[in-house]
Amino acid sequence: MLKIHWFLPTGGDSRRLVDDGAGQANRTGAHTGGFRQPSGDYLSVVARAADSLGFHSVLTPTGSQCEDAWVSTAALIPQTSRLKFMVAFRPGQLSPVLAAQMAATYQRISHGRLVLNIVTGSPDAEAHRYGDWLGKEERYAQADEFLTVLRGAWSGESFDFEGTYYKVAGAAIRHVPDPLPTIYFGGSSPAAGSVAARHVDVYLTWGEPVEQVAEKIEWIRGLAAAEGRKLRFGIRMHVITRETSDAAWQQAESLLEGLDDEMIAKAQATLRGRGSEGQRRLLDLADGSRDKLVVAPNLWAGVSLVRGGAGTALVGSYEEIADRMQDYMAVGIDEFVLGGYPHVEEAYWFAEGVMPILEQRGLLPDSAA
C-alpha cells in the first residue's frame, strides 16, 4: 500500500525559494520578513499538521544548516500521536553501535515511531566541518561497514566485526528495537547502488521524469536480486497543488520571486561543484534555465535553480497530481516523500485535495486520507 511522507523544515521555512534574509538575524524564533525560523513552536505546528492529515512520517534533514534531526524530532514525540519521524544522519559522524543504541531508545520512548534515512553523499566543505575527509568512494565503503555493524548490533547476539573503518568486539545493545527501524537510503552512483542492494529497506530517488526513475528502479532491483533481496522504492520531491492547474502554476512561479540571473548562476556553480551524481542528474533537467523548467508533464525543476537536494516539484490540479503519482507507482514507486513551501500550508493543500482522490482510487487506506 502507498505511503506518503512529508518534510520537517528544520533549516527554516519560507514562501519563496530565497527569502529576503530579514529573519536570518533574529534567532529568537520570531517569524520576521519572509523567513520562518525552525523554532520548537513552528516545527511542532508542521509535525502536528502532518500527524492529523495522515502522513506516514516526516523526513528531517541532516547538516550544519539545520537543527539536529535526532534531538528536534525526539522533542516532538509527545506532541504527536501516530506520526513517524524519518531521522536523517551521515554514517561518518556517529558510531554504528551508538546509532543502534539511540535507535533502540527512540523506539521505546516513541512506541515504535522511528525510521532512518542514511545520507552518504555530502559536499566536501560540509563533510570537512565535521572532520570527515574521506573521498566519495570511501564514504560509501564506510557506509557499507556502518550498516553491517548497525544491523549486527540489532541482531540480539554479541557481534564482532573488523573492517577498514570499524572494528568492534562484542557489539550489542541492551534492548533490540521493536520494531527495527526501516532504513531509507539514496544515491545514483554505482557505489551507492551496491550499498542499497546489500543493506537498505527502501531505496530513495530524486524526482526525475518517470522514464528515468523506471531505469533507476530496474538497476537497483537487479543489484538487490543478486544479493537475494527485494527492496521498496520511494521518491523525494516537492508538490504544489490547487483546485485548478492554472492556480498551481501561478503558485510555482511565485516561489521564484527575488531570484536574478546572478543568484542562479552562482547557485548552479556551487551545486555542480559538489560531485554528486544524483544532484548532477537533477541539474541537467533544466540546466539552470528559467525557460526549461517544465521537464515532464506536471514536473517542474524550479527548485533546482538555487537549492540542492530535492530540486523538482509536481505541479498541477488535484486530479493531475494524483495521475502523475500513479504514473510513478506504475514503474515501481511505493512511497512519496513530499514537501512544499511553506510546509504547513502545502501539507493542507495536498492532504485535503489529493489524498481523497488517491483513497477513492483504492491507493490509500481510509485512515490516511
Side-chain angles (χ1 to χ4, degrees):
M1 186 64 72
L2 177 65
K3 291 182 181 178
I4 303 177
H5 313 261
W6 199 242
F7 186 80
L8 190 68
T10 55
D13 208 354
S14 179
R15 292 183 178 275
R16 295 180 294 182
L17 295 180
V18 177
D19 68 89
D20 59 14
Q24 297 286 359
N26 186 342
R27 303 306 300 174
T28 65
H31 298 166
T32 59
F35 184 75
R36 301 180 184 181
Q37 294 287 352
S39 65
D41 287 343
Y42 184 67
L43 295 179
S44 69
V45 170
V46 179
R48 289 198 301 269
D51 193 29
S52 65
L53 291 171
F55 290 97
H56 185 75
S57 80
V58 283
L59 168 62
T60 310
T62 184
S64 59
Q65 302 304 311
C66 58
E67 303 293 348
D68 176 75
W70 292 92
V71 175
S72 56
T73 58
L76 297 172
I77 292 170
Q79 301 191 49
T80 52
S81 59
R82 44 149 296 280
L83 184 71
K84 293 179 183 285
F85 295 98
M86 189 184 298
V87 171
F89 69 96
R90 291 188 170 95
Q93 299 171 3
L94 190 63
S95 154
V97 179
L98 177 58
Q101 182 183 22
M102 291 167 64
T105 300
Y106 202 115
Q107 289 296 63
R108 286 197 303 281
I109 65 175
S110 69
H111 301 290
R113 291 199 276 146
L114 174 70
V115 296
L116 298 176
N117 179 27
I118 305 299
V119 179
T120 303
S122 175
D124 286 342
E126 173 75 4
H128 296 169
R129 289 190 186 103
Y130 290 94
D132 177 3
W133 292 83
L134 297 179
K136 179 178 178 179
E137 295 298 316
E138 289 181 290
R139 287 176 191 154
Y140 282 107
Q142 181 190 53
D144 193 309
E145 290 189 8
F146 180 97
L147 288 165
T148 298
V149 176
L150 178 77
R151 290 201 182 274
W154 283 344
S155 67
E157 305 290 338
S158 180
F159 181 74
D160 298 334
F161 179 84
E162 182 172 355
T164 303
Y165 305 95
Y166 301 103
K167 180 179 180 180
V168 299
I173 56 176
R174 185 179 180 188
H175 300 289
V176 175
D178 184 20
L180 291 178
T182 301
I183 295 179
Y184 292 74
F185 175 91
S188 299
S189 68
S194 297
V195 174
R198 283 193 290 270
H199 296 289
V200 309
D201 302 304
V202 182
Y203 174 84
L204 290 176
T205 179
W206 296 123
E208 300 175 8
V210 173
E211 296 79 10
Q212 294 181 29
V213 169
E215 292 174 358
K216 190 179 289 187
I217 288 175
E218 193 64 24
W219 167 54
I220 296 294
R221 269 199 184 127
L223 294 176
E227 299 287 341
R229 304 184 68 240
K230 290 184 179 181
L231 309 184
R232 287 173 59 85
F233 294 91
I235 191 166
R236 168 76 180 108
M237 61 205 317
H238 300 283
V239 64
I240 304 168
T241 186
R242 297 294 186 272
E243 292 183 4
T244 67
S245 184
D246 286 345
W249 284 107
Q250 289 174 12
Q251 176 61 24
E253 287 298 319
S254 75
L255 295 181
L256 303 181
E257 291 178 7
L259 292 183
D260 57 38
D261 292 342
E262 182 179 355
M263 295 170 66
I264 293 173
K266 182 178 179 181
Q268 290 286 299
T270 299
L271 294 171
R272 287 194 179 275
R274 290 182 174 180
S276 164
E277 176 63 15
Q279 194 73 73
R280 181 198 64 76
R281 289 167 64 103
L282 280 184
L283 294 173
D284 285 350
L285 293 176
D287 200 24
S289 172
R290 288 176 179 265
D291 300 325
K292 299 192 295 183
L293 294 181
V294 181
V295 296
N298 300 102
L299 187 63
W300 182 71
V303 181
S304 70
L305 289 177
V306 291
R307 285 182 177 261
T312 54
L314 288 177
V315 182
S317 67
Y318 303 145
E319 290 281 348
E320 288 173 332
I321 298 304
D323 290 343
R324 298 293 81 76
M325 291 178 70
Q326 283 196 263
D327 290 343
Y328 283 106
M329 294 176 68
V331 300
I333 291 297
D334 307 296
E335 307 193 18
F336 289 81
V337 184
L338 303 174
Y341 300 98
H343 286 78
V344 174
E345 289 90 325
E346 288 300 334
Y348 276 94
W349 282 112
F350 177 84
E352 295 180 348
V354 180
M355 277 190 179
I357 297 174
L358 297 174
E359 189 240 320
Q360 290 166 8
R361 297 179 182 182
L363 302 175
L364 281 178
D366 294 349
S367 60

